[in-house]
Amino acid sequence: MRFEGRISFENLEFAARDFGNRYHLMPSAVLHPKSVSDISSILRYVYDLGLSSELKVAARGHGHSLEGQAQAYRGVVISMESLRAPEMSFHGGKHPYVDVSAGELWINILHESLKQGLTPRSWTDYLRLTVGGTLSNAGISGQAFRHGPQINNVHQLQVVTGRGEVVTCSDEQNTDLFHAVLGGLGQFGIITQARIALEPAPKMVKWIRALYSDFSTFARDQEHLISSNNSFDYVEGFIIINRTGLLNNWRSSFSPKDPIQADQFNSDGKLLFCLEVAKYYNPRESDNIDQDIDTLLSELSYIRSTLFLSEVSYVNFLDRVHVSEVKLREEGLWEVPHPWLNLLVPRSRIHEFVAEVFGNIVKDTSSGPVLIYPVNKARWKSGTSLITPDDDVFYLIAFLSSAMPSSTGKDGLKHILSQNKKILSFSQRPYLGIKQYLPHYSTEEEWEAHFGPHWEVFYRRKLSYDPLAILAPGQRIFRRGMAYALQ
């Protein structure tokens, strides 16, 4: 076969690694595409082999998968970061947007958009991820309560299906494929281009944290903020257990509203809930923004001595996780196992979940942050492949653990995986209606339970767009050739 890019059969180790650092499945080849036709050609070739071949194909972005989802054992991995064509193309007007390659990193889109005075509306907390990678899952951060996840903020996609066909799709054109691919876990096609919605960009951010000792009060305030017309632009939160000197640690990035009271606060041995919010603005609006923030904060019931504030550039706020990445890389602690667990919990069950998990299972949060914040389902596009709870409001709870190499203690991989298993055992009780985000299952039966009444549509879409089950084998949803055999 001829490619504008290149295909490699040696030095493939990078394609058998990911951020989770627990699965290492070696492919037979890695394609470094320079054009969409490179991707179409190899998929058409594999499809034409039919049932005579077991060859599978996985698209790999920046390698931030957690459990081998972008790996292809003895198959072909397509390194999507090699696909940088076409170059970003910006369009202004009343509804501005940018056309980008799916292999582009969100951090690069941010910097290029800002040159136009524009920005994407919805983000993830970490920006060194590819467009295709986040759109294949959802792309959730503290802006999702207002704008929905990133899959809500894309107007059009170009997709190469499991048959090797190149298809442009949107809400108006090839709509079923468009909805299938968004949040589709790579099962129906490889996203090669995307049209991302933009809005005017702010320059600065007021970044605020405050603590709560009572979960009911914390949840009530978070839900109040996401339901208000005039609110913050970003709403997230953390759960913190037994963290010594917590407020002192914040001082490197934040300033206490009342330094004397802050010095007297003791976080030792406590279960605390941290509200994290942000308000975007431009310098000329500084006086008004302070008044708006004071009004918003006056409606909340946080512990007054724990209010901390910071003022940073818009770029530095959105790219805040990269600061931690640099430090961890310097300490050799970035490329460790990351046994993360992400759950979507209905509002009607959140109190029961928190009481059980943080009362009886999780006793410490020193191995990594635990995020918790609500979102409005009404803001999320319906009909996509993403599965969420039925409630109108649900919470993202993310256990973002890092396992220390060779440790046999509570920061070791064995302990964290055991804890995750206990959390999942509780969460899988059907009456709770909890769903995994970035889901991981081993059998089709488990996947069918995950999708519930949506499984039939998911399965039908697989038959339509990837009938040989060539794509994304690392998700472990379909066996190669099985879907075709049941047509």
Side-chain angles (χ1 to χ4, degrees), residues 104-335:
E104 194 61 78
L105 298 179
W106 284 99
I107 183 65
N108 297 336
I109 297 173
L110 172 62
H111 287 303
E112 292 303 312
S113 297
L114 290 176
K115 293 177 183 177
Q116 311 290 325
L118 298 168
T119 177
R121 298 185 295 215
S122 190
W123 296 96
T124 52
D125 289 333
Y126 180 67
L127 302 188
R128 282 152 179 81
L129 306 171
T130 61
V131 169
T134 66
L135 295 182
S136 295
N137 290 283
I140 305 174
S141 186
Q143 304 87 6
F145 78 93
R146 172 168 291 167
H147 299 295
Q150 289 181 320
I151 60 173
N152 266 52
N153 295 277
V154 55
H155 296 315
Q156 180 177 290
L157 298 172
Q158 183 189 70
V159 176
V160 182
T161 71
R163 301 173 185 268
E165 299 166 337
V166 181
V167 182
T168 298
C169 54
S170 67
D171 275 328
E172 291 77 35
Q173 179 183 10
N174 298 307
T175 305
D176 186 66
L177 178 60
F178 185 61
H179 288 168
V181 169
L182 293 173
L185 307 174
Q187 291 302 301
F188 311 108
I190 295 175
I191 300 171
T192 50
Q193 292 178 29
R195 178 166 292 176
I196 307 297
L198 302 175
E199 67 180 5
K203 289 185 167 55
M204 299 296 293
V205 175
K206 300 278 188 177
W207 186 9
I208 301 162
R209 286 180 179 174
L211 292 176
Y212 294 72
S213 58
D214 175 67
F215 178 70
S216 294
T217 306
F218 170 75
R220 185 179 66 242
D221 280 359
Q222 278 195 321
E223 291 178 21
H224 165 71
L225 290 174
I226 71 163
S227 63
S228 301
N229 290 328
N230 179 30
S231 185
F232 291 99
D233 297 296
Y234 160 100
V235 176
E236 286 198 12
F238 305 90
I239 295 178
I240 302 158
I241 304 175
N242 191 24
R243 189 71 58 84
T244 300
L246 174 64
L247 297 189
N248 279 336
N249 294 337
W250 287 2
R251 290 177 188 266
S252 61
S253 302
F254 295 83
S255 299
K257 181 76 170 180
D258 188 326
I260 296 175
Q261 286 193 29
D263 286 341
Q264 297 172 353
F265 182 82
N266 182 10
S267 59
D268 292 10
K270 294 179 179 177
L271 172 62
L272 296 167
F273 306 93
C274 172
L275 175 68
E276 181 174 71
V277 294
K279 192 76 170 172
Y280 306 156
Y281 71 102
N282 290 309
R284 65 180 179 275
E285 305 165 350
S286 184
D287 291 342
N288 291 336
I289 206 72
D290 287 337
Q291 294 174 10
D292 290 345
I293 289 172
D294 287 343
T295 300
L296 289 168
L297 292 175
S298 70
E299 300 169 354
L300 307 179
S301 301
Y302 55 88
I303 301 170
R304 290 302 188 245
S305 61
T306 67
L307 182 63
F308 275 61
L309 305 97
S310 182
E311 190 171 327
V312 296
S313 71
Y314 182 64
V315 170
N316 287 346
F317 173 72
L318 291 179
D319 201 26
R320 60 197 178 279
V321 176
H322 184 55
V323 176
S324 299
E325 177 188 359
V326 171
K327 291 178 181 177
L328 290 169
R329 285 191 183 278
E330 290 173 352
E331 297 168 3
L333 296 175
W334 182 256
E335 295 181 359

